[in-house]
DNA sequence: TTGTAAGCGTTATCAA
DNA sequence: TTGATAACGCTTACAA
């Protein structure tokens, strides 16, 4: 009948230790910490003193196990190298922090497979909800969410299929910036695309739609490369584009990295921007306002997408309906000297 | 005597469910998953089938509670807006992922207080170890680590006091880039500093030491501002510096953001870089190679710092000694057209 | 307002 | 190689 108490890991005090020190029961400690108004001021005071004295830190795993709520949210993003997602994370963080939730960050490296693996792995933590980037995911993904009744909010884009999304229309943004180039009098407008994720392809769709509407679409003016974008790649793609189509008079680059690289290359080659070739990017990263000439681009409400998505998710976790299934946070054309 | 089984949260299968389905005991399932070699191939096979059939996902909290090991590492960084720390995170992630560890990311927003709060909050997850940025932390910080016997690795800098660090000498790097400006014939070399965190101040120390050695130090050539750095701030600081000291012939900016902003401002003002004013930055971010003129800066092994620190930490968690207490991963001067 | 008892899902211990 | 049992630290349900 010999009990063999195991060795505690952290060596820290447990709730029972605190209870003993305060001369109350464990459940009173629990309540003093989590629902203070349910405990009389005197006891509460005693408990808090014992907590301080013992430097008590509650165990999240025990709490999660007992309550079946982890107060944790899983955030899946395609990359940590991209300012866009970091700004989004910052927005999410601000809201979750304030609500006492913690976030688990999963980096899918732009791979739907990886993303599925991450979901499976992080499911072990029993997150209370999930924030996702984009609308397209591996086949079993949504099944898993549904089976577990896991609230999810989709960020960055819009869908009209019952999923809760916070973002803006990538396609409309792509079309808008293309129309701007048309208005500037450009007629042979090309598209430079890298990474080729879902959002880039929608910007491409928007670009095509705008040119179709103007009767100026030319498939020979599209350059697409699935490898990750970078400034170097922008420079290389500019070379390739001008070599293939010297008549091209404007380029919509799928993001600012590409555009800045292309712009720098134009400077080196002495190509007049925007007279000979207009350039536009996407996202309005910090350097875009500072390069020469300053880059025309599309500002996207990344931080707001993150914070709003987090708020919606918390509402769903609490069993309430989200404010609206779709939240369109819009975008803004930043018209500068490069166009 | 009525048992009242609670409602499960996720509705997912438990290890007991798997055990029942496979016709074995729960502990056998546990072993089949965690120490497969201890279970006969037949049973292992049966268990794996049941796992698949039930889409079983182990509960991390139960595991942590029972085993007192969370297989989780806490990473504390000062900012998510700074590429430097993201690259570091990427390095950490690659190592931890491969080892089956997950990371909890805490963003201290450059505040020691916040950092302490984060440590306290994340301690609830019983992390097996901690990765820290910089050497200076709030007073109770190291006490807490010691009391809990939590392995910790300090990233980005070097210390000779028994703590395990992975980084490079910020001071040596600051001195090296300053000496380079001296070698270029510059004599009134200024310093532009923002954020003023620990690392910036050490770069400043290096700058001062180099100028002292040359007998050219001039306190009137230092401009320091504690607010977060940005390109706009670099531009503004350049204006202020030249207004105060038109004789200044070179500027060492504490990071590339500042330097790129200053460079852009020089372009606007028609100041010849590097003839009239040489510029140098720090970190070698992507745009630095692409601005005009390309920016002289210091390349730092951020990703390697992250991955090496993570490896050291895993070793300590396993009870082994780290390879070396101090790992100097060095830095590299990137001499470009701006100097 | 406070306490008791049981249970959350897993692993450590010991026995077979 | 496999299993029974207790234990991890906390919270829910119910009782006082």
């Amino acid at each position: 009948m010999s009990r063999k108490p195991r060795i505690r890991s952290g060596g820290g005090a447990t709730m029972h230790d605190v209870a003993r020190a305060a001369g109350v029961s464990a459940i009173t400690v629990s309540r003093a910490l989590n629902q203070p108004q349910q405990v009389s001021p005197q006891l509460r005071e005693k408990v808090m003193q014992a907590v301080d004295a013992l430097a008590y830190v509650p165990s999240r795993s025990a709490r999660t196990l007992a309550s079946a709520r982890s107060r944790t949210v899983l955030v899946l993003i395609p990359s940590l190298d991209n300012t866009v997602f970091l700004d989004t994370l910052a927005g999410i963080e601000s809201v979750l922090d304030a609500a006492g939730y913690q976030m688990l960050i999963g980096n899918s490296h732009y791979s739907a497979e990886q993303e599925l693996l991450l979901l499976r792995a992080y499911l072990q933590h029993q997150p209370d909800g999930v924030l996702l980037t984009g609308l397209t995911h591996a086949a079993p993904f949504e099944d898993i969410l549904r089976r577990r009744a896991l609230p999810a909010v989709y960020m960055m884009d819009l869908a009209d299929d019952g999923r809760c999304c916070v973002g803006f229309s990538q396609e409309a943004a792509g079309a808008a910036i293309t129309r701007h180039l048309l208005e500037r009098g450009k007629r042979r407008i090309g598209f430079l695309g890298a990474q080729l994720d879902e959002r880039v392809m929608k910007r491409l769709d928007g670009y095509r739609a705008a040119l179709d509407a103007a009767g100026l679409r030319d498939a020979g003016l599209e350059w697409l490369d699935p490898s990750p974008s970078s400034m170097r790649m922008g420079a290389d793609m500019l070379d390739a584009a001008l070599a293939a189509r010297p008549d091209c008079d404007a380029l919509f680059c799928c993001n600012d990295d590409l555009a800045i690289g292309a712009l720098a290359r134009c400077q080196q080659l002495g190509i007049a921007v925007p007279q000979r070739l207009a350039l536009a990017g996407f996202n309005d990263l910090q350097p875009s306002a500072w390069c020469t000439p300053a880059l025309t681009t599309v500002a996207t409400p990344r931080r707001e997408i993150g914070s709003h998505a987090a708020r919606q998710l918390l509402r769903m976790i609490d069993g309430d309906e989200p404010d609206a299934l779709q939240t369109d946070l819009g975008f803004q054309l930043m018209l500068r000297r490069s166009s």
Side-chain angles (χ1 to χ4, degrees), chain A:
Chain A
M1 286 310 138
S2 63
R3 282 201 192 171
K4 332 132 233 193
R6 299 191 203 158
I7 299 136
R8 264 188 62 98
S9 59
T14 73
M15 191 173 269
H16 281 95
D17 297 333
V18 175
R20 199 173 315 123
V24 300
S25 73
I27 190 65
T28 300
V29 176
S30 172
R31 286 198 273 249
L33 293 171
N34 299 313
Q35 296 132 358
Q37 73 286 7
Q38 291 199 21
V39 175
S40 67
Q42 308 104 307
L43 280 193
R44 201 160 54 201
E45 177 62 17
K46 271 200 204 170
V47 168
M48 295 322 267
Q49 280 178 6
V51 164
D52 284 346
L54 299 178
Y56 167 67
V57 175
S59 158
R60 198 93 171 183
S61 29
R63 181 169 145 101
T64 299
L65 192 55
S67 70
R69 285 194 79 185
S70 63
R71 298 210 163 254
T72 277
V73 163
L74 174 59
V75 184
L76 293 174
I77 55 175
S79 161
L80 272 175
D81 302 331
N82 192 327
T83 311
V84 170
F85 302 117
L86 299 166
D87 293 342
T88 311
L89 278 184
I92 296 169
E93 190 200 26
S94 66
V95 170
L96 292 187
D97 248 40
Y101 274 72
Q102 290 179 357
M103 60 174 169
L104 296 167
I105 301 172
N107 175 359
S108 69
H109 299 273
Y110 284 103
S111 149
E113 271 177 81
Q114 277 266 357
E115 191 186 42
L116 184 58
L117 290 175
L118 284 170
L119 175 66
R120 292 222 165 95
Y122 279 105
L123 235 37
Q124 300 189 354
H125 290 275
Q126 292 157 258
D128 296 335
V130 186
L131 290 171
L132 293 167
T133 305
L135 302 167
T136 314
H137 303 275
F141 205 102
E142 319 236 355
D143 286 343
I144 295 176
L145 296 181
R146 210 169 304 118
R147 190 154 35 203
R148 307 219 150 221
L150 258 181
V153 177
Y154 297 78
M155 301 185 294
M156 293 305 174
D157 208 337
L158 300 175
D160 199 15
D161 55 6
R163 297 184 287 183
C164 179
C165 333
V166 178
F168 60 92
S169 166
Q170 301 280 344
E171 193 169 342
I177 191 77
T178 306
R179 279 195 302 270
H180 159 73
L181 294 171
L182 285 167
E183 280 160 17
R184 283 285 197 253
K186 300 301 181 179
R187 286 299 170 263
R188 284 169 304 279
I189 302 171
F191 182 92
L192 257 42
Q195 193 69 65
L196 307 188
D197 60 77
E198 195 187 337
R199 288 163 295 288
V200 168
M201 297 316 278
K202 290 197 176 173
R203 288 169 209 161
L204 173 59
D205 288 342
Y207 153 90
R208 286 173 174 166
L211 291 185
D212 275 336
L216 288 170
R217 178 153 157 216
D218 179 343
L221 287 169
E222 296 174 7
W223 290 274
L224 304 177
D225 186 324
S227 35
S229 67
S230 65
M231 295 184 189
R232 157 145 310 283
M233 190 166 183
D236 292 346
M237 288 185 92
L238 181 96
D239 289 338
L242 288 191
R245 291 293 299 267
D247 61 324
C248 174
D249 60 8
L251 281 172
F252 168 28
C253 305
C254 74
N255 64 40
D256 283 359
D257 290 319
L258 240 44
I260 293 172
L263 191 59
R265 195 88 185 91
C266 286
Q267 296 283 78
Q268 291 165 6
L269 298 175
I271 295 172
V273 175
Q275 296 79 3
R276 156 85 174 79
L277 184 74
L279 285 174
F282 203 99
N283 279 327
D284 195 25
L285 303 190
Q286 213 193 136
S288 304
W290 292 94
C291 47
T292 320
L295 183 68
T296 286
T297 184
V298 180
T300 53
R302 309 180 284 272
R303 199 188 157 89
E304 291 68 32
I305 290 177
S307 55
H308 193 87
R311 271 192 294 272
Q312 295 281 52
L313 186 66
L314 289 181
R315 204 159 317 197
M316 292 164 79
I317 289 174
D318 288 337
D320 305 340
E321 288 303 304
D323 278 345
L325 273 181
Q326 258 194 92
T327 309
D328 185 350
L329 260 26
F331 56 85
Q332 196 185 346
L333 297 189
M334 305 300 288
L335 306 182
R336 302 201 182 101
R337 315 300 293 271
S338 76
S339 70

